[in-house]
């Protein structure tokens, strides 16, 4: 096989296309977001109180709130397609790393990707619950569960990147750059978890960068002669 990651790369192209489509669906503005946030859907995933939710969606009974709730719900329904695609990419990439290096530790990346999928799916259920109960309140349980499932997803992504760091580090200069981005993402995840702030936005950008680099790698990498350790 000349390009061992090509199947993952093709899935990666679909990940990029779906991601761009979701950017058009999710709302791009909100009346007020928690300090440090600039992306409404990211702010929604990391909200911590009813007051933050109310501020995020604007005045009750307003046309803006109605429109924003509809956009969030539509985006989160379509997000199920996206989460299947990006976790399939990570699963396949990890399995391929294990196969070509003959190092079973990379299979842990595939295992964690399944947990990420579960976390993302359950996260969306909490988001739907919050928007459904937005007018009357009583979504404290959803908020509590949202925190756990959101970090199962975002923390899981950081862990997958960390698992794959040794693979990339043993490659050429470009591959080493990818390993650095993966390591940086893991550090940013810890910082964002410890202090919800603009760091969450920065971490999300690092995740997007890591996905993009991995997809390009999957599409262009040719099988090496040596075994990577």
């Amino acid at each position: 096989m000349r390009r061992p990651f090509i199947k993952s790369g093709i899935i990666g192209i679909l990940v990029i296309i779906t991601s761009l489509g979701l950017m058009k669906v999710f709302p791009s503005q909100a009346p007020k977001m928690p300090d440090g946030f600039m992306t409404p859907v990211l702010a929604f995933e990391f909200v911590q109180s009813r007051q933050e939710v109310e501020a995020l969606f604007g005045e009750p009974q307003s046309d803006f709130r109605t429109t924003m709730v509809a956009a969030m719900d539509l985006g989160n329904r379509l997000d199920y397609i996206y989460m299947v695609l990006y976790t399939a990419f990570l699963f396949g990439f990890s399995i391929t790393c294990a196969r070509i290096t003959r190092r079973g530790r990379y299979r842990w990346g595939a295992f964690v990707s399944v947990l990420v999928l579960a976390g993302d799916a359950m996260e969306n259920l909490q988001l739907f619950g919050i928007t459904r109960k937005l007018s009357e309140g009583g979504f404290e349980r959803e908020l509590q569960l949202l925190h756990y499932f959101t970090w199962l997803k975002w923390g899981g992504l950081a862990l997958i990147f960390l698992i794959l760091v040794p693979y990339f580090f043993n490659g050429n200069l470009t591959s080493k750059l990818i390993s650095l981005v993966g390591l940086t993402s893991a550090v940013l995840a810890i910082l964002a978890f410890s202090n919800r702030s603009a760091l969450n936005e920065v971490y999300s950008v690092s995740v997007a960068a890591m996905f993009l680099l991995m997809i390009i790698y999957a599409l262009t990498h040719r099988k090496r002669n040596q075994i990577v350790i």
Side-chain angles (χ1 to χ4, degrees):
M1 183 185 296
R2 296 294 297 168
R3 290 195 170 105
F5 294 94
I6 191 63
K7 292 181 180 178
S8 294
I10 292 171
I11 297 174
I13 292 174
L14 296 177
V15 170
I16 293 173
I17 293 172
T18 308
S19 177
L20 294 174
L22 285 174
M23 289 174 62
K24 298 292 185 181
V25 174
F26 278 117
S28 59
Q29 295 181 333
K32 181 175 174 56
M33 289 179 271
D35 291 343
F37 285 87
M38 300 177 291
T39 310
V41 65
L42 193 66
F44 192 20
E45 292 179 7
F46 286 103
V47 288
Q48 295 180 341
S49 67
R50 177 177 177 176
Q51 292 73 23
E52 288 184 347
V53 174
E54 294 282 352
L56 180 68
F57 284 92
E59 294 294 327
Q61 310 303 324
S62 66
D63 291 340
F64 185 91
R65 173 176 284 197
T66 301
T67 301
M68 188 170 177
V69 167
M72 281 288 191
D73 284 350
L74 176 58
N76 282 322
R77 282 193 290 270
L78 296 174
D79 187 46
Y80 282 99
I81 300 173
Y82 180 61
M83 68 179 73
V84 169
L85 288 172
Y86 79 72
T87 53
F89 169 78
L90 293 171
F91 185 95
F93 196 102
S94 299
I95 291 297
T96 303
C97 285
R99 187 180 73 248
I100 67 177
T101 63
R102 302 178 189 174
R103 295 292 184 269
R105 62 174 177 255
Y106 296 118
R107 294 184 184 275
W108 283 104
F111 173 74
V112 176
S113 72
V114 176
L115 297 181
V116 168
L117 177 60
D120 203 348
M122 293 303 296
E123 174 195 66
N124 281 14
L125 289 181
Q126 311 317 309
L127 297 176
F128 286 133
I130 293 172
T131 55
R132 186 175 65 252
K133 298 178 180 179
L134 187 58
S135 58
E136 68 268 18
F139 48 79
E140 287 76 13
R141 179 60 174 168
E142 283 84 356
L143 275 176
Q144 182 182 23
L145 292 174
L146 178 64
H147 174 75
Y148 298 127
F149 291 127
T150 295
W151 274 108
L152 176 58
K153 177 185 78 173
W154 286 104
L157 290 172
L159 180 56
I160 293 170
F161 297 156
L162 195 59
I163 290 170
L164 295 176
V165 160
Y167 170 80
F168 288 114
F169 187 76
N170 282 282
N172 58 25
L173 183 60
T174 301
S175 186
K176 283 181 169 58
L177 173 62
I178 299 175
S179 73
L180 178 61
V181 175
L183 185 60
T184 301
S185 290
V187 173
L188 286 170
I190 295 171
L191 294 175
F193 179 80
S194 303
N195 178 28
R196 191 199 66 167
S197 61
L199 287 169
N200 295 68
E201 289 275 358
V202 176
Y203 171 52
S204 71
V205 171
S206 75
V207 169
M210 187 63 178
F211 265 103
L212 181 59
L213 290 171
M214 287 178 63
I215 291 168
I216 293 172
Y217 181 92
L219 291 169
T220 61
H221 176 72
R222 292 184 179 274
K223 188 175 181 180
R224 304 170 186 173
N225 293 325
Q226 74 274 23
I227 294 175
V228 181
I229 63 173

